[in-house]
């Protein structure tokens, strides 16, 4: 028994649940329409002739296929206003999905390498986050290092971010995983931690369980992004459970990047059953076909998730956030009262 009369009833329940999103690359929320309009505004020429041609190109067979297009797309982002517009569009969209809190990744090296100042990037994103706070969505910003680049580039990026540290809550690790293990970034993450920043890392998306061990033991992560392949190692699962770490799982991303062949084989239920604190997130919604509720609905339909499993996922999104416990408690109470009226 799932506790719902129909799929539609389950989707309506998901839509109304208060939730947090903990794995969202702001550059991955760049919809083709905005890519086109920013290209015009900034005089950037795109290799694509139309919005339809862009969407048609979003057919990926692995992470690298996607990243090649993702880095091309972000070239339209230049001015502070561009980053503000991008972030505002995401926050407006997230609000319609019942998102109350977001922890947003950004990839400064994708911009500074093109000559865009760090101030444009952080300034525009942070201005949008401040405005959204007035509309009831809280947020934190997580700066990611691109793991296909040398650690020295990550060090320089952390240096460039020092004037903006009051706006940045944590650091993460993303981009091409295989061949770029977490230990490559041991020193820069140690420095970030000594600066008081939270630590997260993409691990076990395509990379082996050993990369998840390194994220834990070398980087000392506060949360794991994806973590799918941790399930291949029972001792690793035990370690993540006993440390109480949250996994930010991204079902439609996993499907589009061929991390899973079919959502019916998605490990989300197995993660919950193993005692892992899994959450549902959209990763790069403009590229993977859906925002957070679409991810919830797709995986809930494929796995026939129960009401209790869905509630657990929503609760995990707040308990796994970097919000202070008192604020988490307010959101958990909002989930309880939503559930009670249902
Ligand atoms: N994995 C690694 N790097 C990324 C991703 C992802 O899912 N999205 C944006 N950068
Ligand atoms: Zn990601």
């Amino acid at each position: 028994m799932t506790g719902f009369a129909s799929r539609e009833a389950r989707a309506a329940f998901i839509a109304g649940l208060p939730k947090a999103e903990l794995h969202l690359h702001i550059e991955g929320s760049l919809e083709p329409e905005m890519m086109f309009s920013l290209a015009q505004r900034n005089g950037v020429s795109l290799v694509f002739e139309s919005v339809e041609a862009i969407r048609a190109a979003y057919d990926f067979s692995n992470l690298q296929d996607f990243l090649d297009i993702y880095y091309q797309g972000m070239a339209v982002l230049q001015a502070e206003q561009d980053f503000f517009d991008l972030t505002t569009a995401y926050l407006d969209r997230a609000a319609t999905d019942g998102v109350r809190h977001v922890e947003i990744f950004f990839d400064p090296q994708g911009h500074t390498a093109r000559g865009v100042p760090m101030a444009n990037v952080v300034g525009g994103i942070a201005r949008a986050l401040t405005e959204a706070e007035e509309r009831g969505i809280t947020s934190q910003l997580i700066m990611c290092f691109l793991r296909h680049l040398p650690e020295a580039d990550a060090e320089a990026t952390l240096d460039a971010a020092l004037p903006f540290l009051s706006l940045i809550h944590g650091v993460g690790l993303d981009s091409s995983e295989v061949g770029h293990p977490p230990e490559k970034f041991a020193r820069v993450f140690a420095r970030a931690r000594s600066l008081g920043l939270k630590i997260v890392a993409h691990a076990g998306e395509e990379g082996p369980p050993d990369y998840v061990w390194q994220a834990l033991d070398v980087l000392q992560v506060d949360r794991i992004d994806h973590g799918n392949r941790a399930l291949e190692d029972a001792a690793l699962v035990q370690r993540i459970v006993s440390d109480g770490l949250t996994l930010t799982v991204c079902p439609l991303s996993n499907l589009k990047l061929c991390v899973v062949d079919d959502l019916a084989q998605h490990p989300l239920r197995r993660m919950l059953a193993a005692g892992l604190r899994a959450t549902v997130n959209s990763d790069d919604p403009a590229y993977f076909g859906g925002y957070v509720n679409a991810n919830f609905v797709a995986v809930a339909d494929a796995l026939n998730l129960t009401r209790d499993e869905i509630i657990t996922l929503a609760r995990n999104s707040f308990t796994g956030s970097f919000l202070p416990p008192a604020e988490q408690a307010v959101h958990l109470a909002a989930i309880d009262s939503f559930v009670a009226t249902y």
Side-chain angles (χ1 to χ4, degrees), residues 19-317:
K19 56 186 74 75
E21 179 152 50
L22 306 179
H23 186 151
L24 179 280
H25 302 263
I26 197 65
E27 296 91 344
S29 72
L30 178 60
E31 292 285 350
E33 289 78 6
M34 185 177 282
M35 196 188 292
F36 246 85
S37 66
L38 291 180
Q40 278 188 339
R41 188 156 99 187
N42 292 325
V44 174
S45 59
L46 290 175
V47 293
F48 302 107
E49 281 185 356
S50 64
V51 164
E52 294 69 36
I54 298 180
R55 286 221 161 81
Y58 292 174
D59 182 20
F60 314 115
S61 44
N62 55 37
L63 173 60
Q64 192 60 49
D65 253 12
F66 154 69
L67 290 170
D68 292 343
I69 290 210
Y70 168 78
Y71 295 123
Q72 266 180 48
M74 66 172 78
V76 302
L77 298 165
Q78 299 184 354
E80 191 260 12
Q81 187 68 39
D82 303 340
F83 291 92
F84 174 85
D85 291 347
L86 174 71
T87 308
T88 298
Y90 163 71
L91 292 163
D92 287 348
R93 185 64 189 70
T96 68
D97 276 10
V99 172
R100 308 283 177 88
H101 175 72
V102 293
E103 301 191 357
I104 293 186
F105 295 138
F106 70 111
D107 283 326
Q109 289 157 291
H111 312 299
T112 54
R114 298 181 285 110
V116 175
M118 182 71 92
N120 290 14
V121 182
V122 181
I125 297 171
R127 184 159 63 90
L129 296 180
T130 303
E131 282 196 8
E133 207 124 331
E134 287 154 18
R135 287 180 274 131
I137 298 193
T138 57
S139 56
Q140 288 168 356
L141 202 46
I142 299 175
M143 178 171 79
C144 286
F145 301 122
L146 299 183
R147 67 201 304 160
H148 67 276
L149 298 175
E151 188 183 35
D153 284 36
E155 292 278 14
T157 301
L158 184 54
D159 289 339
L162 291 176
F164 306 100
L165 275 198
S166 64
L167 302 172
I168 298 173
H169 212 82
V171 293
L173 186 65
D174 65 1
S175 193
S176 321
E177 186 179 8
V178 174
H180 303 286
E183 65 187 4
K184 175 178 166 187
F185 296 91
R187 289 136 297 255
V188 70
F189 274 87
R191 181 155 73 100
R193 180 168 287 291
S194 74
L195 290 166
L197 293 160
K198 292 285 187 188
I199 306 291
V200 300
H202 285 53
E205 180 183 19
E206 288 188 345
D210 183 48
Y211 286 19
V212 182
W213 282 111
Q214 288 182 27
L216 297 170
D217 290 334
V218 181
L219 303 188
Q220 298 177 29
V221 290
D222 296 294
R223 197 161 69 206
I224 296 165
D225 296 315
H226 296 294
N228 299 43
R229 292 195 59 193
L231 290 180
E232 295 169 24
D233 181 339
L236 177 57
V237 169
Q238 268 325 302
R239 167 70 186 279
I240 300 169
V241 170
S242 67
D243 283 4
L245 289 184
T246 296
L247 305 186
T248 63
V249 180
C250 305
L252 290 174
S253 165
N254 292 161
L255 184 65
K256 286 289 270 183
L257 301 186
C258 306
V259 168
V260 296
D261 295 333
D262 183 335
L263 278 186
Q265 262 106 55
H266 196 278
L268 185 65
R269 166 171 282 137
R270 281 186 283 134
M271 289 170 166
L272 293 176
L276 291 164
R277 300 186 185 193
T279 60
V280 171
N281 307 272
S282 68
D283 207 0
D284 301 280
Y287 291 89
F288 300 149
Y291 288 77
V292 68
N293 283 357
N295 274 271
F296 262 98
V297 168
V299 76
D301 284 350
L303 301 178
N304 206 19
L305 292 185
T306 66
R307 181 181 155 107
D308 284 349
E309 286 170 322
I310 292 165
I311 294 168
T312 297
L313 290 164
R315 293 181 66 86
N316 288 351
S317 75

